[in-house]
Amino acid sequence: MPITKLLQGAKPLLMLSIAFSLVACATLRAPGVVPQQSPNDDYQYRLVELDNQMQVLLISDPDTPKAAAALDVLVGSGDNPEGRAGLAHFLEHMLFLGTDKYPEPAEYEEYITEHGGSRNAYTSFEHTNYFFDVNADHLPEALDRFAQFFIAPRFDAQYVEREMNAVQAEYQMGLKSDPRRGLDVLQEVMNPEHPFSQFSVGSLETLADRPDAPIRDDLLRFYQKHYSANAMRLVVMGKQSLNELQDLVTPIFSEVPNRDYQAQEIEVPLFSEGSLPLLVKVKPQATLRQLEISFPVPDYRQRYQAQPLSYLGNLVGHEGEGSLLSQLKTEGLAESLSAGSGLAWRGGALFSLNVALTERGVQDYDRVLQLVFAYLDMLREEGPQQWLYEEQSQLSALRFRFKEAREPINYVSAVANRMHYYAMQDVLQGPYLMTDYDPALLQDLLANVVAENAVVTLHDQSVQTNQLSQYYEVPYAKHKLELEQLNASRSSTVEADLHLPAPNDFIAEDVSLVKLDKPVPATPQPFVQGARQTLWFLQDDEFRLPKGATYVNFRSPLVGQTAQQSAAAGLYTAMLKDAVNEFAYPALLAGLNFDLYKHAQGISLRISGYNDRQALLLERLLAAVQAPEFEQARFMNIRADMIRGLQNSVAKRPSSQVIDRLREALLYGEWGEQALIEALQDMTLPELERYAAEFWSTATAESLIYGNYSRSVVDEVAASVGVLLSDKPAPALPALQVLRLAEGESLQYAVEVPHDDSVIAWYLQGNGDTWRDRAATALSAQVIKSGFFQQLRTEQQLGYVVAAIPWSQLDVPGLLLLIQSSNTSAPEVASAIDQFMKAVPAVISAEQFERHQKALLHDITRPDKNLWERAEFFWQSIAKKQYDFAGRERLAAAVEELSLEDWQAYYQQVFLDQPHSLQVVAPGRWQSLPAVAVEPLRDAADIKQGHAVYTVQ
């Protein structure tokens, strides 16, 4: 599939008034343009430039429950001074820790959290992006706190030292991460004069004080050079009018100094002259079999109306008949492939392919390279194709025309980043523009993606290496890529099977809206109710897009009762998805998404997107399900890929591994990796086919159709689904079960994680599964999450991963207290958590409680942003048998009924005096566990055996 870069308007009747207000504002220099917006976008926009040359996009949505803001600075890890690796990233951390106007380091975090918001930031090669959201009424106060980051940060010496430890913890957390390890090797083989070749995260060593350069002094110099208003792009979204937003933003952000910083073009090449073509072999931590092929190409970001990299990525990453991936699968060499622009800088970019190899693909990676280069040769021989470009352009235009609302915090962050690259009128539509067909430009790009210009990286544990990377100690070797050998053995017969994709039959043509029934009910209604099939239907009368969601849940008692059943259901769905991939991939490109996946009680099929071609896709998918043609070779490869994925769990972040173990201990029907691996290793294709037949003989179906559909669709879908179902009486479906911890029960589950860090995932279950229990537990999480982070991470520096979150399992409420520490043993971490939890009730004032309560209520009752959020709410309600669809209202009412005294009593009794506690601990290099009254358990099955349970019907 294509991959994209990690980082990346007013209605006609409003344009005159917006333009007038821009001209009339005396304190701002109006650019004289408003951004072109989607016809489906009802926000109001205004672009302004402050006197300090900061460019600002204002977004007004009177109905938004959340306000949000983001500021993107055109500075990143590529700008680190020589010898100060990680300085830009470290600076990002420091800006959260106090300003002259708000000196307390917890001030910003506490204000945002108490008023229903969240905040974060990231540092990339060229950018540092800061963003937050908050309940809409509190934007002015939140924005003032945010702005001070860029006006007068304190850089307090005590927090400089502490936060260096947080950066070190983040670095150490990634030591076993194969993506970070692979990047470390790539940076070592780059041109050392190129800024991207330097270590970007930072460590205690790279950030240490030096006799002639204390780190705080370097931090200040870096900030004062790069953090300039003219290099910043600000996006602010609120419920206020555009004039009110402008009046709010102008006086605050005009104080940001303009140091006239100008980012310089990077003229040195990414790879030294004469070093390409290059072959790098890397030994990963996980059972990773991967081949990356990258080509240095020009920086095309100024040609965004042409988007040459998107054109090429769509062709190389295609998965349909005649594609590169199709041929690789036919020869048993690969499982998946992605292609696109993975990295860009001021002066160049990389076009990259990433191929997930089979075992045979590793052994014969030369053949994989031959096919990659042959496909690129074919594209050069065929030349740029205007019809293919126009097809991609048509799809981009459709995506923009029917663009849907996103979460404000994500939206403002993305737009702030892109404002650096698009003309002002294009900041909204720029990523969707593909209107400038330029054959010469496309030929120029194709001339760069040749074998002679390639960097090839093979990741596999079998490779021979001869050196270690500096920061992550990754074993690797580098060689000249021998092109003569590759060219000598190409097969013209096989390469003839590589060709351009056919025209896409799934592109929506009819984008009209169906006539609505009168009246349209507020919630889905059951239109089909039979022994084996139930179907819910609702027309969308709010978002009014030519799209819809058709979800089908096939349940069977033959899923989840044993590890063998779970493994079989997972492998069966993987085989089905593989079987339909070639014909379904064009639908994905055309905005028709589908997914087929295993869940606790069965298999679900989801189709969403433009409804015009959904019937065709559903018909072909169900036909493939009804009469699959599984091949032994694909079975072997897919089974091996699943086993490898399970084995690779050891390479996941340690905290993620511990949470997996916690989930396995709580949920009946969840099985550990080893049990699933053993089940898969013993499974044959005939056994899988017998399992599939038995699954369908016992299956029932529950469906939801919601969106731009006429009622006739109900009968069509019911008939199509019904073909898969037996007409015999449906067998009983076993209930779902969750471990039920008793009052005062305190269990400890010790797990082995191959990492030096200690990890504690401390689960505190609610007193029951009533609405009051859910409300009190959710409110407890809201109250403690900010202080937990500030005290245990910022102040005590116990680790980089520090979080307190609500963690319901099948609606059984619970709290999860999570810390991964590189510097503190598990007993010490547990003691710190315990002390924090005991101190909470006494320090929460009535005013704070009220703010937290309002913040939680705001979050529960937040309206759905788009059709898919609404569909998901309906679908989850149906799965929980909440057929009145009133779960939100019940939870909100229960939260509202809690007084401070009620909550304090619940917190004291349930989370302190008589906790329902399960502590999952990975001891790390200390090999010590917190003291508990019972013997630590070592197996999830032992925890669940004979234990009390919650039964979820």
Side-chain angles (χ1 to χ4, degrees), residues 99-150:
T99 61
D100 285 352
K101 187 171 183 179
Y102 301 100
E104 286 299 317
E107 169 69 33
Y108 173 67
E109 157 74 17
E110 287 178 353
Y111 188 86
I112 294 294
T113 302
E114 288 183 8
H115 295 91
S118 59
R119 84 291 171 274
N120 214 328
Y122 66 78
T123 302
S124 67
F125 179 63
E126 288 187 308
H127 295 266
T128 310
N129 190 289
Y130 302 85
F131 46 94
F132 74 87
D133 65 2
V134 72
N135 289 344
D137 289 341
H138 302 284
L139 175 63
E141 297 84 357
L143 200 62
D144 189 48
R145 287 162 173 78
F146 181 66
Q148 304 310 311
F149 289 10
F150 315 103

Side-chain angles (χ1 to χ4, degrees), residues 20-32 46-58 242-243 245-254:
F20 176 79
S21 64
L22 286 169
V23 172
C25 183
T27 59
L28 298 173
R29 292 195 302 276
R46 179 179 296 172
L47 276 160
V48 297
E49 184 176 294
L50 307 183
D51 288 337
N52 57 7
Q53 295 186 315
M54 182 187 294
Q55 292 183 17
V56 181
L57 177 65
L58 306 172
L242 289 173
N243 286 338
L245 287 172
Q246 189 168 334
D247 291 342
L248 172 62
V249 166
T250 303
I252 303 174
F253 285 92
S254 292

Side-chain angles (χ1 to χ4, degrees), residues 79 147 323 392 420 526 941:
D79 300 290
S323 66
Q392 292 184 29
H420 292 283

Side-chain angles (χ1 to χ4, degrees), residues 800-813:
Y800 179 73
V801 177
V802 176
I805 59 174
W807 209 62
S808 294
Q809 299 297 300
L810 300 178
D811 266 2
V812 175

Side-chain angles (χ1 to χ4, degrees), residues 236-247:
V236 179
M237 177 177 180
K239 69 176 186 178
Q240 296 86 349
S241 70
L242 289 173
N243 286 338
E244 290 168 335
L245 287 172
Q246 189 168 334
D247 291 342

Side-chain angles (χ1 to χ4, degrees), residues 493-509:
T493 303
V494 173
E495 287 164 14
D497 294 335
L498 300 171
H499 57 78
L500 295 171
N504 193 332
D505 291 334
F506 286 99
I507 298 176
E509 295 178 358

Side-chain angles (χ1 to χ4, degrees), residues 189-233:
V189 302
M190 287 177 181
N191 181 354
E193 296 182 9
H194 195 284
F196 192 71
S197 66
Q198 62 179 310
F199 175 48
S200 58
V201 177
S203 66
L204 286 175
E205 181 182 353
T206 67
L207 300 174
D209 284 332
R210 293 166 187 162
D212 57 342
I215 184 61
R216 187 174 184 275
D217 291 352
D218 286 348
L219 199 64
L220 287 167
R221 275 192 292 270
F222 188 83
Y223 178 84
Q224 289 164 0
K225 175 182 178 181
H226 294 282
Y227 274 60
S228 176
N230 71 304
M232 297 176 179
R233 302 293 182 266

